[in-house]
Protein backbone atom coordinates (compact mmCIF):
# COMPACT_ATOMS: atom_id res chain seq x y z
CA UNK A 1 0.00 0.00 0.00
CA UNK A 2 1.40 3.41 -0.87
CA UNK A 3 1.96 5.83 1.97
CA UNK A 4 -0.06 9.04 2.03
CA UNK A 5 -0.46 12.26 3.98
CA UNK A 6 -3.98 13.42 4.73
CA UNK A 7 -4.74 17.11 5.23
CA UNK A 8 -7.88 18.26 7.02
CA UNK A 9 -9.51 21.67 7.23
CA UNK A 10 -12.39 21.34 9.69
CA UNK A 11 -15.04 24.06 9.54
CA UNK A 12 -18.45 24.60 11.12
CA UNK A 13 -20.35 22.22 8.83
CA UNK A 14 -17.78 20.60 6.55
CA UNK A 15 -14.31 19.08 6.56
CA UNK A 16 -12.17 19.72 3.49
CA UNK A 17 -9.59 17.04 2.89
CA UNK A 18 -6.76 16.26 0.51
CA UNK A 19 -4.54 13.22 0.06
CA UNK A 20 -0.90 13.50 -0.98
CA UNK A 21 1.71 10.89 -1.78
CA UNK A 22 3.95 10.87 1.30
CA UNK A 23 7.21 10.66 -0.62
CA UNK A 24 6.63 12.94 -3.62
CA UNK A 25 3.81 15.07 -2.18
CA UNK A 26 1.96 14.66 -5.46
CA UNK A 27 -1.72 15.31 -4.87
CA UNK A 28 -3.91 12.22 -5.24
CA UNK A 29 -7.33 13.68 -4.56
CA UNK A 30 -9.23 16.30 -2.62
CA UNK A 31 -12.80 16.90 -1.61
CA UNK A 32 -15.28 18.16 0.94
CA UNK A 33 -17.03 16.00 3.54
CA UNK A 34 -20.43 17.48 4.32
CA UNK A 35 -20.25 16.62 8.00
CA UNK A 36 -18.00 17.09 11.02
CA UNK A 37 -16.47 15.23 13.96
CA UNK A 38 -16.53 11.45 14.19
CA UNK A 39 -18.85 10.92 11.20
CA UNK A 40 -16.58 13.04 9.00
CA UNK A 41 -13.61 10.94 10.09
CA UNK A 42 -15.49 7.73 9.27
CA UNK A 43 -15.89 9.14 5.75
CA UNK A 44 -12.23 10.18 5.64
CA UNK A 45 -11.19 6.63 6.58
CA UNK A 46 -13.42 5.34 3.80
CA UNK A 47 -11.80 7.75 1.32
CA UNK A 48 -8.35 6.47 2.32
CA UNK A 49 -9.43 2.85 2.11
CA UNK A 50 -10.93 3.35 -1.34
CA UNK A 51 -7.78 5.14 -2.47
CA UNK A 52 -5.76 2.17 -1.24
CA UNK A 53 -3.34 4.24 0.81
CA UNK A 54 -1.82 3.94 4.24
CA UNK A 55 -2.02 7.29 6.05
CA UNK A 56 1.32 8.02 7.71
CA UNK A 57 0.58 11.57 8.82
CA UNK A 58 -2.41 13.87 9.24
CA UNK A 59 -2.05 17.64 8.90
CA UNK A 60 -4.63 19.99 10.31
CA UNK A 61 -5.30 23.55 9.27
CA UNK A 62 -5.61 25.47 12.53
CA UNK A 63 -6.62 29.10 12.41
CA UNK A 64 -4.86 30.24 15.58
CA UNK A 65 -1.49 29.41 17.06
CA UNK A 66 -1.44 32.37 19.46
CA UNK A 67 1.96 33.82 20.22
CA UNK A 68 3.42 30.40 20.92
CA UNK A 69 3.45 28.64 17.55
CA UNK A 70 5.61 30.04 14.78
CA UNK A 71 6.03 26.68 13.05
CA UNK A 72 3.88 23.56 12.58
CA UNK A 73 3.58 21.47 15.73
CA UNK A 74 3.26 17.75 16.28
CA UNK A 75 0.10 17.29 18.31
CA UNK A 76 0.17 15.63 21.71
CA UNK A 77 -2.13 16.17 24.70
CA UNK A 78 -0.22 19.24 25.83
CA UNK A 79 -0.29 20.89 22.39
CA UNK A 80 -3.98 20.08 22.01
CA UNK A 81 -4.67 21.77 25.36
CA UNK A 82 -2.74 24.83 24.15
CA UNK A 83 -4.87 24.94 20.98
CA UNK A 84 -8.03 24.79 23.07
CA UNK A 85 -6.64 27.68 25.06
CA UNK A 86 -6.74 29.83 21.90
CA UNK A 87 -10.49 29.38 21.46
CA UNK A 88 -11.25 32.83 22.95
CA UNK A 89 -9.00 34.38 20.28
CA UNK A 90 -10.89 32.74 17.40
CA UNK A 91 -14.23 31.57 18.81
CA UNK A 92 -15.83 31.01 15.40
CA UNK A 93 -13.08 28.83 13.92
CA UNK A 94 -10.79 27.33 16.55
CA UNK A 95 -13.44 25.09 18.20
CA UNK A 96 -14.09 23.36 14.86
CA UNK A 97 -10.35 22.86 14.31
CA UNK A 98 -10.02 21.34 17.78
CA UNK A 99 -13.02 19.06 17.20
CA UNK A 100 -11.44 17.90 13.93
CA UNK A 101 -8.14 17.11 15.64
CA UNK A 102 -9.81 15.12 18.41
CA UNK A 103 -11.85 13.14 15.90
CA UNK A 104 -8.80 12.48 13.71
CA UNK A 105 -6.71 11.30 16.65
CA UNK A 106 -9.42 8.78 17.48
CA UNK A 107 -9.89 7.69 13.85
CA UNK A 108 -6.17 7.39 13.01
CA UNK A 109 -4.62 6.02 16.21
CA UNK A 110 -0.84 5.98 16.28
CA UNK A 111 -0.58 8.24 13.21
CA UNK A 112 1.37 11.50 13.59
CA UNK A 113 -0.95 14.51 13.74
CA UNK A 114 0.46 17.94 12.90
CA UNK A 115 -1.13 21.35 13.48
CA UNK A 116 -0.40 23.98 10.82
CA UNK A 117 -1.35 27.51 11.72
CA UNK A 118 -2.73 30.43 9.72
CA UNK A 119 -1.01 32.78 12.15
CA UNK A 120 2.44 31.16 12.25
CA UNK A 121 3.90 32.73 9.09
CA UNK A 122 3.39 36.20 10.53
CA UNK A 123 5.40 35.64 13.69
CA UNK A 124 8.46 37.14 11.96
CA UNK A 125 6.99 40.66 11.93
CA UNK A 126 8.47 43.44 14.03
CA UNK A 127 6.61 44.43 17.19
CA UNK A 128 5.49 47.70 15.60
CA UNK A 129 3.57 45.67 13.00
CA UNK A 130 2.04 43.44 15.61
CA UNK A 131 0.72 46.01 18.02
CA UNK A 132 -2.30 48.29 18.31
CA UNK A 133 -2.16 51.70 19.97
CA UNK A 134 -3.91 50.36 23.05
CA UNK A 135 -2.77 50.06 26.66
CA UNK A 136 0.18 47.70 26.79
CA UNK A 137 -1.53 45.23 29.11
CA UNK A 138 -3.91 44.28 26.29
CA UNK A 139 -1.00 43.45 23.99
CA UNK A 140 0.50 41.30 26.70
CA UNK A 141 -2.70 39.31 27.06
CA UNK A 142 -2.91 38.69 23.32
CA UNK A 143 -4.75 41.65 21.78
CA UNK A 144 -2.39 41.88 18.82
CA UNK A 145 -2.36 41.87 15.05
CA UNK A 146 -1.86 38.17 14.45
CA UNK A 147 -2.46 38.11 10.71
CA UNK A 148 -4.02 35.10 8.97
CA UNK A 149 -3.92 33.18 5.65
CA UNK A 150 -0.34 32.30 6.59
CA UNK A 151 -0.41 28.87 4.95
CA UNK A 152 -1.37 30.48 1.67
CA UNK A 153 1.38 33.09 1.96
CA UNK A 154 3.95 30.48 2.86
CA UNK A 155 2.97 28.39 -0.15
CA UNK A 156 3.04 31.34 -2.56
CA UNK A 157 6.31 32.71 -1.15
CA UNK A 158 7.80 29.24 -1.62
CA UNK A 159 6.41 28.95 -5.17
CA UNK A 160 8.13 32.23 -6.07
CA UNK A 161 11.48 30.52 -5.62
CA UNK A 162 10.60 28.44 -8.68
CA UNK A 163 8.49 30.77 -10.82
CA UNK A 164 10.33 34.04 -10.12
CA UNK A 165 13.57 33.38 -8.19
CA UNK A 166 14.65 37.01 -8.14
CA UNK A 167 11.37 38.05 -6.56
CA UNK A 168 11.62 35.36 -3.88
CA UNK A 169 14.35 37.44 -2.22
CA UNK A 170 12.77 40.81 -2.91
CA UNK A 171 9.96 43.07 -1.65
CA UNK A 172 6.64 41.48 -2.54
CA UNK A 173 2.99 42.08 -1.69
CA UNK A 174 0.89 38.92 -1.89
CA UNK A 175 -2.83 39.55 -2.33
CA UNK A 176 -4.88 36.55 -1.19
CA UNK A 177 -8.27 37.48 -2.60
CA UNK A 178 -10.83 34.73 -1.99
CA UNK A 179 -14.10 34.75 -0.11
CA UNK A 180 -11.83 35.60 2.79
CA UNK A 181 -9.22 38.13 1.73
CA UNK A 182 -6.05 39.67 3.06
CA UNK A 183 -2.67 40.87 1.89
CA UNK A 184 0.82 40.33 3.18
CA UNK A 185 4.08 42.20 2.70
CA UNK A 186 6.87 39.66 2.27
CA UNK A 187 10.60 40.30 2.12
CA UNK A 188 13.04 37.47 1.47
CA UNK A 189 10.20 35.00 2.00
CA UNK A 190 9.24 36.34 5.42
CA UNK A 191 6.15 38.22 6.56
CA UNK A 192 6.84 41.88 7.30
CA UNK A 193 3.28 43.23 7.59
CA UNK A 194 -0.27 42.09 6.90
CA UNK A 195 -3.73 43.57 6.58
CA UNK A 196 -5.54 41.17 8.89
CA UNK A 197 -5.20 41.85 12.56
CA UNK A 198 -6.54 40.42 15.80
CA UNK A 199 -9.36 38.69 13.97
CA UNK A 200 -10.17 37.78 10.39
CA UNK A 201 -12.34 40.90 10.05
CA UNK A 202 -9.68 43.54 9.43
CA UNK A 203 -8.02 44.75 6.24
CA UNK A 204 -9.56 44.49 2.78
CA UNK A 205 -13.29 43.86 2.27
CA UNK A 206 -14.38 40.25 1.83
CA UNK A 207 -17.39 38.25 0.66
CA UNK A 208 -19.30 38.79 3.88
CA UNK A 209 -16.83 40.66 6.16
CA UNK A 210 -16.27 44.41 6.01
CA UNK A 211 -12.49 44.71 6.23
CA UNK A 212 -11.17 47.76 8.07
CA UNK A 213 -13.91 49.43 10.06
CA UNK A 214 -14.00 52.28 12.56
CA UNK A 215 -14.51 50.60 15.96
CA UNK A 216 -16.88 53.49 16.67
CA UNK A 217 -19.37 51.74 14.40
CA UNK A 218 -19.30 48.69 16.67
CA UNK A 219 -19.82 50.90 19.74
CA UNK A 220 -22.76 52.57 18.00
CA UNK A 221 -24.37 49.23 17.13
CA UNK A 222 -23.97 47.97 20.70
CA UNK A 223 -24.62 51.16 22.63
CA UNK A 224 -27.13 53.10 20.53
CA UNK A 225 -28.94 50.47 18.50
CA UNK A 226 -28.90 47.92 21.32
CA UNK A 227 -27.69 45.01 19.22
CA UNK A 228 -26.37 42.03 21.16
CA UNK A 229 -22.77 40.90 20.83
CA UNK A 230 -23.87 37.88 18.83
CA UNK A 231 -25.97 40.06 16.51
CA UNK A 232 -22.98 42.31 15.85
CA UNK A 233 -20.83 39.23 15.33
CA UNK A 234 -23.26 37.85 12.75
CA UNK A 235 -23.44 41.24 11.03
CA UNK A 236 -19.66 41.54 10.79
CA UNK A 237 -18.87 37.95 9.79
CA UNK A 238 -21.85 37.01 7.65
CA UNK A 239 -23.80 40.05 6.42
CA UNK A 240 -21.19 42.65 5.50
CA UNK A 241 -18.53 42.95 2.80
CA UNK A 242 -19.53 42.45 -0.82
CA UNK A 243 -22.81 40.89 0.28
CA UNK A 244 -23.82 43.70 2.61
CA UNK A 245 -22.73 46.51 0.36
CA UNK A 246 -24.30 45.12 -2.81
CA UNK A 247 -27.40 43.70 -1.14
CA UNK A 248 -27.07 41.08 -3.85
CA UNK A 249 -24.33 38.49 -3.39
CA UNK A 250 -21.02 37.69 -1.76
CA UNK A 251 -19.78 36.21 -5.03
CA UNK A 252 -17.59 38.49 -7.10
CA UNK A 253 -18.71 36.79 -10.32
CA UNK A 254 -22.34 37.71 -9.65
CA UNK A 255 -21.42 41.31 -8.89
CA UNK A 256 -19.28 41.67 -12.00
CA UNK A 257 -22.15 40.32 -14.11
CA UNK A 258 -24.73 42.61 -12.51
CA UNK A 259 -25.83 46.01 -13.77
CA UNK A 260 -27.16 47.08 -10.37
CA UNK A 261 -25.49 50.29 -9.12
CA UNK A 262 -24.98 48.77 -5.67
CA UNK A 263 -23.13 45.82 -7.21
CA UNK A 264 -20.88 48.25 -9.06
CA UNK A 265 -20.26 50.16 -5.83
CA UNK A 266 -19.34 46.99 -3.96
CA UNK A 267 -16.81 46.06 -6.66
CA UNK A 268 -15.39 49.58 -6.70
CA UNK A 269 -15.07 49.53 -2.90
CA UNK A 270 -13.24 46.19 -3.06
CA UNK A 271 -10.85 47.39 -5.77
CA UNK A 272 -10.17 50.72 -4.09
CA UNK A 273 -9.47 49.27 -0.67
CA UNK A 274 -7.23 46.58 -2.17
CA UNK A 275 -5.20 49.15 -4.13
CA UNK A 276 -4.76 51.32 -1.05
CA UNK A 277 -3.56 48.37 1.00
CA UNK A 278 -0.97 47.46 -1.63
CA UNK A 279 0.48 50.96 -1.34
CA UNK A 280 0.38 50.78 2.45
CA UNK A 281 2.19 47.45 2.49
CA UNK A 282 4.72 48.73 -0.07
CA UNK A 283 5.55 51.44 2.45
CA UNK A 284 6.11 48.77 5.11
CA UNK A 285 8.56 47.13 2.67
CA UNK A 286 10.28 50.38 1.70
CA UNK A 287 9.43 49.73 -1.94
CA UNK A 288 7.81 47.18 -4.18
CA UNK A 289 9.41 44.65 -6.53
CA UNK A 290 6.44 42.36 -7.02
CA UNK A 291 2.68 42.11 -6.58
CA UNK A 292 1.29 38.57 -6.57
CA UNK A 293 -2.40 37.73 -6.90
CA UNK A 294 -3.74 34.47 -5.51
CA UNK A 295 -6.93 32.69 -4.27
CA UNK A 296 -10.33 32.57 -6.03
CA UNK A 297 -10.66 36.20 -7.15
CA UNK A 298 -6.92 36.81 -7.44
CA UNK A 299 -6.32 33.74 -9.59
CA UNK A 300 -9.37 33.96 -11.82
CA UNK A 301 -10.57 37.53 -12.21
CA UNK A 302 -8.51 39.42 -14.79
CA UNK A 303 -10.99 42.30 -14.45
CA UNK A 304 -10.36 42.78 -10.73
CA UNK A 305 -6.58 42.44 -11.16
CA UNK A 306 -6.56 45.00 -13.96
CA UNK A 307 -8.68 47.44 -11.96
CA UNK A 308 -6.52 47.16 -8.84
CA UNK A 309 -3.31 47.66 -10.82
CA UNK A 310 -4.88 50.58 -12.72
CA UNK A 311 -5.21 52.39 -9.38
CA UNK A 312 -1.51 51.73 -8.78
CA UNK A 313 -0.37 53.26 -12.06
CA UNK A 314 1.09 56.20 -10.14
CA UNK A 315 3.49 53.69 -8.53
CA UNK A 316 4.63 52.70 -12.02
CA UNK A 317 2.72 49.41 -12.16
CA UNK A 318 1.16 48.21 -15.39
CA UNK A 319 -0.63 45.07 -16.54
CA UNK A 320 -0.38 43.52 -20.01
CA UNK A 321 -4.01 43.04 -21.05
CA UNK A 322 -3.57 39.85 -23.02
CA UNK A 323 -1.26 38.15 -20.50
CA UNK A 324 -3.74 39.12 -17.80
CA UNK A 325 -6.72 37.77 -19.73
CA UNK A 326 -4.89 34.47 -20.18
CA UNK A 327 -4.13 34.25 -16.41
CA UNK A 328 -0.44 33.92 -17.23
CA UNK A 329 2.08 33.77 -14.39
CA UNK A 330 3.63 37.15 -15.21
CA UNK A 331 0.99 39.68 -16.24
CA UNK A 332 2.90 42.95 -15.92
CA UNK A 333 4.08 45.02 -18.86
CA UNK A 334 7.80 45.09 -19.65
CA UNK A 335 7.96 48.67 -18.38
CA UNK A 336 6.12 48.03 -15.11
CA UNK A 337 8.26 49.13 -12.16
CA UNK A 338 7.27 46.02 -10.25
CA UNK A 339 6.40 42.61 -11.64
CA UNK A 340 2.77 41.57 -11.33
CA UNK A 341 2.12 37.84 -11.07
CA UNK A 342 -0.66 35.30 -10.70
CA UNK A 343 0.39 32.33 -8.55
CA UNK A 344 -2.30 29.80 -7.60
CA UNK A 345 -2.21 29.02 -3.89
CA UNK A 346 -2.31 25.54 -2.37
CA UNK A 347 -2.70 25.62 1.39
CA UNK A 348 -3.17 21.86 1.52
CA UNK A 349 0.20 21.26 -0.15
CA UNK A 350 1.80 23.58 2.38
CA UNK A 351 0.28 21.48 5.16
CA UNK A 352 1.36 18.20 3.56
CA UNK A 353 4.95 19.46 3.25
CA UNK A 354 4.89 20.46 6.91
CA UNK A 355 3.63 17.04 7.94
CA UNK A 356 6.42 15.39 5.96
CA UNK A 357 9.02 17.68 7.53
CA UNK A 358 7.78 16.98 11.05
CA UNK A 359 7.38 13.22 10.61
CA UNK A 360 10.69 12.78 8.76
CA UNK A 361 12.67 14.71 11.37
CA UNK A 362 14.62 12.56 13.81
CA UNK A 363 12.79 12.65 17.13
P1 LIG B 1 -12.19 30.47 0.00
O1 LIG B 1 -11.71 31.66 0.76
O2 LIG B 1 -13.56 30.01 0.38
O3 LIG B 1 -11.17 29.36 -0.14
P2 LIG B 1 -11.69 30.95 -2.79
O4 LIG B 1 -10.26 31.31 -2.69
O5 LIG B 1 -12.04 29.67 -3.45
O6 LIG B 1 -12.43 31.07 -1.42
O7 LIG B 1 -12.45 32.13 -3.54
C1 LIG B 1 -13.83 32.05 -3.71
C2 LIG B 1 -14.32 33.32 -4.37
O8 LIG B 1 -13.61 33.56 -5.58
C3 LIG B 1 -15.79 33.22 -4.78
O9 LIG B 1 -16.62 33.69 -3.75
C4 LIG B 1 -15.87 34.10 -5.97
O10 LIG B 1 -16.33 35.37 -5.56
C5 LIG B 1 -14.46 34.29 -6.45
N1 LIG B 1 -14.25 33.83 -7.83
C6 LIG B 1 -14.05 32.58 -8.28
N2 LIG B 1 -13.91 32.57 -9.62
C7 LIG B 1 -14.02 33.86 -10.03
C8 LIG B 1 -13.97 34.52 -11.29
N3 LIG B 1 -13.78 33.85 -12.43
N4 LIG B 1 -14.14 35.86 -11.31
C9 LIG B 1 -14.34 36.55 -10.17
N5 LIG B 1 -14.40 35.98 -8.97
C10 LIG B 1 -14.24 34.66 -8.89
Amino acid sequence: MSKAILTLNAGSSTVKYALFDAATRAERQRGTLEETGASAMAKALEVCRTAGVEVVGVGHRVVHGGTRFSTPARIDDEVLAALEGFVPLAPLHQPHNVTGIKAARAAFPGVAQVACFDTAFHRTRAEVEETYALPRALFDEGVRRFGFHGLSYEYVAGALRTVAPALAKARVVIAHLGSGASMCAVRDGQSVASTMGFSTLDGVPMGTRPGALDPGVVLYLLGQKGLSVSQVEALLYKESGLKGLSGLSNDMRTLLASEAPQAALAVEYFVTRCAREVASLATALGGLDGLVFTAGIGERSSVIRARIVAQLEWLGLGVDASANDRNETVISTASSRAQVLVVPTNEERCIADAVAAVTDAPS
Side-chain angles (χ1 to χ4, degrees):
M1 247 197 311
S2 64
K3 295 185 187 327
I5 290 170
L6 173 68
T7 70
L8 297 172
N9 179 0
S12 60
S13 57
T14 64
V15 175
K16 292 185 185 144
Y17 73 90
L19 265 182
F20 294 84
D21 184 89
T24 65
R25 244 90 75 218
E27 185 172 323
R28 296 182 61 115
Q29 70 181 90
R30 67 170 66 201
T32 301
L33 308 168
E34 303 289 338
E35 52 224 302
T36 60
S39 54
M41 288 312 129
K43 285 270 169 63
L45 279 169
E46 191 57 38
V47 165
C48 297
R49 219 182 341 258
T50 309
V53 296
E54 178 201 353
V55 174
V56 294
V58 181
H60 297 266
R61 182 174 179 182
V62 178
V63 68
H64 223 299
T67 56
R68 170 170 164 184
F69 295 104
S70 54
T71 54
R74 194 167 180 145
I75 300 168
D76 57 19
D77 291 345
E78 190 272 324
V79 167
L80 182 57
L83 303 189
E84 288 190 285
F86 302 141
V87 163
L89 295 174
L92 299 184
H93 297 99
Q94 194 84 350
H96 306 303
N97 300 158
V98 168
T99 301
I101 290 169
K102 287 180 177 168
R105 288 180 97 195
F108 297 90
V111 175
Q113 310 270 334
V114 180
C116 300
F117 303 96
D118 275 310
T119 50
F121 183 69
H122 301 291
R123 304 298 306 144
T124 50
R125 293 164 312 159
E127 187 174 343
V128 71
E129 289 295 344
E130 197 170 290
T131 194
Y132 290 107
L134 290 169
R136 178 73 194 193
L138 286 169
F139 178 87
D140 293 340
E141 71 175 58
V143 181
R144 307 175 176 209
R145 291 176 196 275
F146 287 99
F148 297 88
H149 289 133
L151 299 166
S152 176
Y153 294 129
E154 189 175 341
Y155 178 83
V156 172
L160 284 182
R161 289 197 286 271
T162 311
V163 300
L167 272 191
K169 294 218 153 280
R171 300 162 298 183
V172 177
V173 170
I174 304 174
H176 176 108
L177 309 180
S179 55
S182 73
M183 294 190 193
C184 183
V186 174
R187 189 194 298 120
D188 201 7
Q190 294 202 322
S191 175
V192 168
S194 53
T195 60
M196 269 185 178
F198 175 71
S199 73
T200 55
L201 291 171
D202 203 0
V204 296
M206 293 163 245
T208 59
R209 290 171 258 166
L213 182 74
D214 181 345
V217 174
V218 176
L219 295 177
Y220 172 79
L221 296 173
L222 291 168
Q224 302 303 316
K225 282 186 68 84
L227 267 61
S228 68
V229 170
S230 61
Q231 284 173 318
V232 173
E233 190 172 80
L235 179 86
L236 295 177
Y237 280 94
K238 302 211 178 329
E239 301 300 331
S240 299
L242 297 175
K243 181 183 177 191
L245 190 45
S246 70
L248 194 65
S249 171
N250 62 348
D251 193 318
M252 186 59 91
R253 286 165 293 198
T254 307
L255 301 184
L256 287 170
S258 167
E259 295 190 346
Q262 281 303 113
L265 179 66
V267 174
E268 180 63 11
Y269 186 81
F270 182 85
V271 166
T272 300
R273 302 310 305 195
C274 285
R276 283 174 62 168
E277 289 296 344
V278 172
S280 169
L281 292 171
T283 304
L285 289 165
L288 188 67
D289 303 303
L291 169 62
V292 182
F293 288 99
T294 195
I297 299 170
E299 291 168 25
R300 295 192 200 97
S301 181
S302 57
V303 175
I304 296 295
R305 292 192 300 255
R307 285 180 59 175
I308 291 172
V309 175
Q311 291 198 14
L312 295 165
E313 215 178 67
W314 67 273
L315 261 178
L317 268 59
V319 150
D320 179 280
S322 60
N324 187 33
D325 286 344
R326 290 195 300 269
N327 295 326
E328 285 182 8
T329 302
V330 178
I331 60 169
S332 42
T333 56
S335 61
S336 180
R337 279 186 57 192
Q339 276 196 305
V340 184
L341 283 80
V342 180
V343 178
T345 194
N346 191 341
E347 289 149 316
E348 292 75 17
R349 173 64 193 265
C350 185
I351 294 170
D353 287 347
V355 173
V358 168
T359 53
D360 290 349
S363 52

